[in-house]
Amino acid sequence: MEQQFISNLSTTSFSIEEGSVNAKSPSNIALVKYWGKKKNQIPTNSSISYTLTNSYTETELKFKKKQSDNFEVEVYFEGEKKDSFSPKIITFFERIIDYVPFLKAYKFTVHTHNSFPHSSGIASSASGMSALALCLVQIENNLGANLSEEESLKKASFLARLGSGSACRSVFKGLIEWGENNFIKGSSDLYGTKYPDTEIHEVFKTFHDTILLIHEGQKSVSSTVGHNLMNNHPYAERRFVEANENLEKLIPILKNGDVKAFGELIEHEALTLHAMMMMSNPAFILMKPNTVAALEKLWEYRNETDRQLYFTLDAGANIHLLYPASDALEIEIFIEKELKAFCQNGNYIKDKVNF
Ligand code: PMV
């Protein structure tokens, strides 16, 4: 057990009969990808992500004292009762009970919604688990834990990680690193840490992220299955080393504002993630024909115009277009004219990094 996250509350401090807390947490997009994990959601390599602005989850968590000695959770998603969501939350509660001692003392009702459409293929597990973890830490504080702001966020990140790995990076704004290494001070496998704003060139704080919704709906292989396929993967060890090397290479790039080097690195990361999927056994492909077609169009545009437009991919078919505000006007005309056609139903989401 991780001693530093064990609560200082005793059962006698569960004196509040009922109450309610709220949290809002954004989604994040990784630049260096987490792909592969050990027991208890410990990552096999370090990762770093931008926290987004417009794509978020909002959660209200109501709690009411009860007598029974089990977990009781009722979930409402966009106003509708969703019994199918409860098992995931119960599994999460089971994992974190050692750190959140009041989970069996209360009956919980979760009301949650996302700012992005449910069917968009944007993963809501990072923003959702982060929002829920932030709510739980608020309750812990209301019951008397009195954690400082910094301790509260660290604990929320630690708990969110146990819900969904990358969720630990959604607790903070800016660029967030997760995974222990010897080149970022304070880095940890247990929680995300904010990469210092002073180490980031201003240009990287202006980035837009336009998400092309190439394929809306459920992806064919979940990230849990994908992570597990990195066990016994013939290229896994090299990949884990390379991810850490890429993060280390990113440090001077972030500092000196070299957008081209940044773009090359993140595109390589994205394609490596998908290459790992294709080399898994069994193999799987999450890109769709339109993902590839849009990427080819993007490369063609960049060669012709020299505009600073780059991409990254999540574990799915959608494309995150990353570009600095200085080029946004022209790039957004290109997206509307040329790339929109590759989106299912012509849909894309305009987002920005969150500093
Ligand atoms: O947090 P998970 O288990 O859904 O995994 C997320 C993995 C990627 O999104 C592909 C990469 C990342 O670092 O976010």
Side-chain angles (χ1 to χ4, degrees), residues 30 33-35 164-166 169 223 227 273 314-315:
K33 311 284 181 182
Y34 150 59
W35 198 241
S164 167
S166 60
R169 299 186 312 234
S223 62
H227 285 294
L273 168 72
D314 240 338

mmCIF file of all heavy atoms in Angstrom, residues 30 33-35 164-166 169 223 227 273 314-315, ligand 1:
data_model
loop_
_atom_site.group_PDB
_atom_site.id
_atom_site.type_symbol
_atom_site.label_atom_id
_atom_site.label_comp_id
_atom_site.label_asym_id
_atom_site.label_seq_id
_atom_site.Cartn_x
_atom_site.Cartn_y
_atom_site.Cartn_z
ATOM 1 N N ALA A 30 -2.259 12.795 -25.128
ATOM 2 C CA ALA A 30 -0.845 12.493 -24.863
ATOM 3 C C ALA A 30 0.018 12.845 -26.070
ATOM 4 O O ALA A 30 -0.372 12.624 -27.223
ATOM 5 C CB ALA A 30 -0.692 11.025 -24.521
ATOM 6 N N LYS A 33 3.223 8.710 -25.524
ATOM 7 C CA LYS A 33 2.087 7.856 -25.163
ATOM 8 C C LYS A 33 2.388 6.813 -24.099
ATOM 9 O O LYS A 33 3.440 6.171 -24.132
ATOM 10 C CB LYS A 33 1.592 7.103 -26.403
ATOM 11 C CG LYS A 33 1.359 7.953 -27.624
ATOM 12 C CD LYS A 33 0.091 8.761 -27.520
ATOM 13 C CE LYS A 33 -0.142 9.598 -28.768
ATOM 14 N NZ LYS A 33 -1.353 10.425 -28.655
ATOM 15 N N TYR A 34 1.410 6.613 -23.256
ATOM 16 C CA TYR A 34 1.391 5.507 -22.286
ATOM 17 C C TYR A 34 0.752 4.323 -23.002
ATOM 18 O O TYR A 34 -0.402 4.395 -23.429
ATOM 19 C CB TYR A 34 0.584 5.982 -21.082
ATOM 20 C CG TYR A 34 -0.183 4.959 -20.284
ATOM 21 C CD1 TYR A 34 0.459 3.876 -19.678
ATOM 22 C CD2 TYR A 34 -1.564 5.118 -20.098
ATOM 23 C CE1 TYR A 34 -0.270 2.968 -18.911
ATOM 24 C CE2 TYR A 34 -2.296 4.213 -19.331
ATOM 25 C CZ TYR A 34 -1.645 3.143 -18.747
ATOM 26 O OH TYR A 34 -2.367 2.256 -17.996
ATOM 27 N N TRP A 35 1.499 3.255 -23.161
ATOM 28 C CA TRP A 35 0.922 2.070 -23.825
ATOM 29 C C TRP A 35 1.636 0.855 -23.247
ATOM 30 O O TRP A 35 2.775 0.565 -23.606
ATOM 31 C CB TRP A 35 1.080 2.159 -25.344
ATOM 32 C CG TRP A 35 0.164 1.236 -26.095
ATOM 33 C CD1 TRP A 35 0.537 0.218 -26.935
ATOM 34 C CD2 TRP A 35 -1.275 1.241 -26.080
ATOM 35 N NE1 TRP A 35 -0.586 -0.402 -27.437
ATOM 36 C CE2 TRP A 35 -1.707 0.209 -26.924
ATOM 37 C CE3 TRP A 35 -2.238 2.023 -25.407
ATOM 38 C CZ2 TRP A 35 -3.064 -0.074 -27.132
ATOM 39 C CZ3 TRP A 35 -3.574 1.738 -25.629
ATOM 40 C CH2 TRP A 35 -3.972 0.711 -26.476
ATOM 41 N N SER A 164 -8.435 4.823 -14.192
ATOM 42 C CA SER A 164 -8.020 4.705 -15.598
ATOM 43 C C SER A 164 -6.683 5.426 -15.697
ATOM 44 O O SER A 164 -6.614 6.628 -15.414
ATOM 45 C CB SER A 164 -9.056 5.395 -16.480
ATOM 46 O OG SER A 164 -8.560 5.555 -17.772
ATOM 47 N N GLY A 165 -5.636 4.708 -16.071
ATOM 48 C CA GLY A 165 -4.261 5.251 -16.024
ATOM 49 C C GLY A 165 -4.134 6.708 -16.432
ATOM 50 O O GLY A 165 -3.738 7.564 -15.633
ATOM 51 N N SER A 166 -4.510 7.001 -17.670
ATOM 52 C CA SER A 166 -4.262 8.349 -18.184
ATOM 53 C C SER A 166 -5.109 9.402 -17.469
ATOM 54 O O SER A 166 -4.843 10.602 -17.603
ATOM 55 C CB SER A 166 -4.523 8.396 -19.686
ATOM 56 O OG SER A 166 -5.866 8.053 -19.955
ATOM 57 N N ARG A 169 -3.561 12.240 -15.395
ATOM 58 C CA ARG A 169 -3.014 13.461 -15.997
ATOM 59 C C ARG A 169 -4.092 14.523 -16.211
ATOM 60 O O ARG A 169 -3.772 15.655 -16.558
ATOM 61 C CB ARG A 169 -2.340 13.115 -17.341
ATOM 62 C CG ARG A 169 -1.159 12.141 -17.229
ATOM 63 C CD ARG A 169 -0.467 11.983 -18.587
ATOM 64 N NE ARG A 169 -1.468 11.748 -19.601
ATOM 65 C CZ ARG A 169 -1.485 10.719 -20.454
ATOM 66 N NH1 ARG A 169 -0.526 9.815 -20.450
ATOM 67 N NH2 ARG A 169 -2.456 10.598 -21.330
ATOM 68 N N SER A 223 -8.751 0.005 -24.689
ATOM 69 C CA SER A 223 -7.358 0.282 -24.336
ATOM 70 C C SER A 223 -6.844 -0.736 -23.311
ATOM 71 O O SER A 223 -5.664 -1.060 -23.310
ATOM 72 C CB SER A 223 -7.160 1.726 -23.883
ATOM 73 O OG SER A 223 -7.895 2.000 -22.738
ATOM 74 N N HIS A 227 -3.353 -2.442 -23.874
ATOM 75 C CA HIS A 227 -2.238 -2.409 -22.910
ATOM 76 C C HIS A 227 -1.742 -3.831 -22.648
ATOM 77 O O HIS A 227 -0.544 -4.086 -22.623
ATOM 78 C CB HIS A 227 -2.696 -1.816 -21.575
ATOM 79 C CG HIS A 227 -2.873 -0.325 -21.579
ATOM 80 N ND1 HIS A 227 -1.829 0.544 -21.737
ATOM 81 C CD2 HIS A 227 -3.970 0.450 -21.428
ATOM 82 C CE1 HIS A 227 -2.275 1.787 -21.687
ATOM 83 N NE2 HIS A 227 -3.578 1.759 -21.499
ATOM 84 N N LEU A 273 2.566 4.196 -31.666
ATOM 85 C CA LEU A 273 1.471 3.597 -30.889
ATOM 86 C C LEU A 273 0.648 2.662 -31.782
ATOM 87 O O LEU A 273 0.364 1.520 -31.424
ATOM 88 C CB LEU A 273 0.587 4.728 -30.322
ATOM 89 C CG LEU A 273 -0.753 4.333 -29.713
ATOM 90 C CD1 LEU A 273 -0.544 3.635 -28.371
ATOM 91 C CD2 LEU A 273 -1.654 5.559 -29.506
ATOM 92 N N ASP A 314 -4.994 9.105 -30.745
ATOM 93 C CA ASP A 314 -5.268 8.373 -29.521
ATOM 94 C C ASP A 314 -5.398 6.907 -29.882
ATOM 95 O O ASP A 314 -5.166 6.540 -31.014
ATOM 96 C CB ASP A 314 -6.605 8.877 -28.966
ATOM 97 C CG ASP A 314 -6.418 9.456 -27.602
ATOM 98 O OD1 ASP A 314 -5.430 9.098 -26.960
ATOM 99 O OD2 ASP A 314 -7.275 10.250 -27.172
ATOM 100 N N ALA A 315 -5.863 6.098 -28.954
ATOM 101 C CA ALA A 315 -6.133 4.705 -29.298
ATOM 102 C C ALA A 315 -7.487 4.659 -29.989
ATOM 103 O O ALA A 315 -8.489 4.200 -29.435
ATOM 104 C CB ALA A 315 -6.120 3.851 -28.049
HETATM 105 O O1 PMV B 1 -5.783 5.419 -19.682
HETATM 106 P P1 PMV B 1 -6.051 4.335 -20.650
HETATM 107 O O2 PMV B 1 -5.893 2.983 -20.034
HETATM 108 O O3 PMV B 1 -7.373 4.514 -21.357
HETATM 109 O O4 PMV B 1 -4.920 4.392 -21.794
HETATM 110 C C1 PMV B 1 -4.738 5.493 -22.626
HETATM 111 C C2 PMV B 1 -3.720 5.220 -23.652
HETATM 112 C C3 PMV B 1 -3.504 6.275 -24.723
HETATM 113 O O5 PMV B 1 -4.569 7.193 -24.756
HETATM 114 C C4 PMV B 1 -3.423 5.597 -26.070
HETATM 115 C C5 PMV B 1 -2.194 7.002 -24.513
HETATM 116 C C6 PMV B 1 -2.133 7.997 -23.396
HETATM 117 O O6 PMV B 1 -1.024 8.173 -22.863
HETATM 118 O O7 PMV B 1 -3.144 8.640 -23.080
#
